[in-house]
Amino acid sequence: MFIRDDYIHPQSFEIEYFINELHLLDLPLNSVVKTLFLWFDNNISYSRLNAPYYPLQRSDLDVLKMKSGTCGDYSNLIISVLTRLGYQTKYAYVHVDCYGDPQDHICAAVLNGEHWQLVDATLPYRKWHGLDCPHKEYELLSYDEMKNKLKQDEQFWASKAIEWKKESFAGLLYAPWIHEEIVSCTDHSLETVFFLLILNSVNEYNIYVYYLVYSEADASSVMMCRVTADKMYFRFPVRCAENLWDEEQWGEEYTKESIPRSYFSDRLSNMFERLNSIVPRIKKITNP
């Protein structure tokens, strides 16, 4: 099973070259972060579709090479760059985000003067909150503490995949948040379609797909779809949600053919389009 020895390489040639390429030397911290976030906007996609199996946890160098990743992968690169620039860094393991939603999320933290500030490169956070992201509940972990946690998680899911006699599933079990597509992005809003793959067994899975709408102050889910091997089931909110992932907000399930006309919209059309383009790719990697 392929598990990284290290997740950050601040003294590597690759990180040095990256820092010089972005002209980060001698910039103040806020300018370093803004430049890094702009680079993420233009170069990195939130996805593990291009290499879903190994490595389980992507390192800083993996992100530079693959041009994709998820929150922990992003954080490894941010930590590596800031460490090379001489800043004291930690990881923030986030339990409740700045919108008040429960999350299993990772971002970077940097000591700025006497205060630790969160640096979150994942959308939507990097769009509006940047340096000093105001997540509500989190714990700060040193690199060694995070490294130990990541390795324990990797070993657990690697063992689960071996138990299933499907070693290639380890990466899918480890990181089920497999892809996010940006639908629209303006100064005031961000709309995405988020794909979550849950493997119940070797031969059974569900793909949960959420249409998410963000502003600087709010986050909501306006529809979702549960995809099985042969069906798609759509649900729409029928009551106010307590948080982004509140299952009580959803009404009954509809097949695509039975969705009431009152739910038809441009957003539903956007949802269909992303389902048609991404779901076949996810299904393909569940049956290699």
Side-chain angles (χ1 to χ4, degrees), residues 18-44 77-78 81-82 85 119 121 126 130-131:
F18 179 64
I19 287 172
N20 290 330
E21 185 180 39
L22 295 188
H23 307 290
L24 300 180
L25 290 171
D26 301 322
L27 289 180
L29 179 59
N30 64 332
S31 296
V32 169
V33 172
K34 287 180 180 178
T35 302
L36 285 171
F37 284 0
L38 181 60
W39 180 83
F40 271 88
D41 287 340
N42 294 328
N43 294 278
I44 303 296
L77 180 57
I78 297 291
V81 169
L82 293 178
L85 290 173
V119 180
R126 78 169 182 258
L131 178 63

Side-chain angles (χ1 to χ4, degrees), residues 4-185:
R4 289 282 189 231
D5 292 328
D6 284 297
Y7 305 111
I8 65 172
H9 305 83
Q11 301 307 317
S12 68
F13 166 78
E14 291 89 344
I15 294 300
E16 179 185 17
Y17 181 86
F18 179 64
I19 287 172
N20 290 330
E21 185 180 39
L22 295 188
H23 307 290
L24 300 180
L25 290 171
D26 301 322
L27 289 180
L29 179 59
N30 64 332
S31 296
V32 169
V33 172
K34 287 180 180 178
T35 302
L36 285 171
F37 284 0
L38 181 60
W39 180 83
F40 271 88
D41 287 340
N42 294 328
N43 294 278
I44 303 296
S45 61
Y46 187 99
S47 182
R48 290 179 61 93
L49 287 175
N50 59 347
Y53 309 129
Y54 309 109
L56 276 66
Q57 174 64 55
R58 296 181 181 178
S59 73
D60 50 356
L61 304 185
D62 293 323
V63 176
L64 290 176
K65 180 180 179 180
M66 297 179 181
K67 295 295 190 291
S68 69
T70 56
C71 63
D73 313 324
Y74 292 1
S75 301
N76 288 331
L77 180 57
I78 297 291
I79 290 283
S80 192
V81 169
L82 293 178
T83 300
R84 180 61 178 264
L85 290 173
Y87 293 99
Q88 188 174 340
T89 60
K90 290 188 177 183
Y91 291 83
Y93 185 31
V94 179
H95 307 294
V96 179
D97 71 7
C98 58
Y99 296 107
D101 295 318
Q103 301 286 1
D104 182 10
H105 179 61
I106 300 170
C107 70
V110 61
L111 188 63
N112 190 5
E114 297 180 354
H115 303 286
W116 287 98
Q117 296 183 322
L118 303 191
V119 180
D120 201 329
T122 303
L123 287 173
Y125 312 119
R126 78 169 182 258
K127 178 174 175 60
W128 287 290
H129 303 289
L131 178 63
D132 205 15
C133 189
H135 291 317
K136 298 181 184 298
E137 293 182 21
Y138 59 89
E139 52 188 310
L140 293 179
L141 302 175
S142 69
Y143 173 64
D144 286 341
E145 290 171 327
M146 180 57 75
K147 179 179 177 179
N148 289 337
K149 172 182 166 38
L150 295 175
K151 286 189 178 297
Q152 288 175 7
D153 291 346
E154 285 184 291
Q155 291 287 358
F156 176 83
W157 292 114
S159 298
K160 185 70 172 179
I162 291 171
E163 177 186 324
W164 283 5
K165 297 181 172 57
K166 203 75 169 180
E167 192 171 333
S168 64
F169 274 17
L172 301 177
L173 291 166
Y174 175 75
W177 34 88
I178 194 165
H179 189 74
E180 187 167 34
E181 284 274 301
I182 296 174
V183 176
S184 68
C185 183

Side-chain angles (χ1 to χ4, degrees), residues 206-226:
N206 284 281
I207 307 169
Y208 294 92
V209 188
Y210 297 87
Y211 196 115
L212 306 177
V213 178
Y214 300 99
S215 68
E216 183 174 358
D218 298 301
S220 62
S221 184
V222 297
M223 71 186 77
M224 64 92 66
C225 179
R226 179 173 65 90

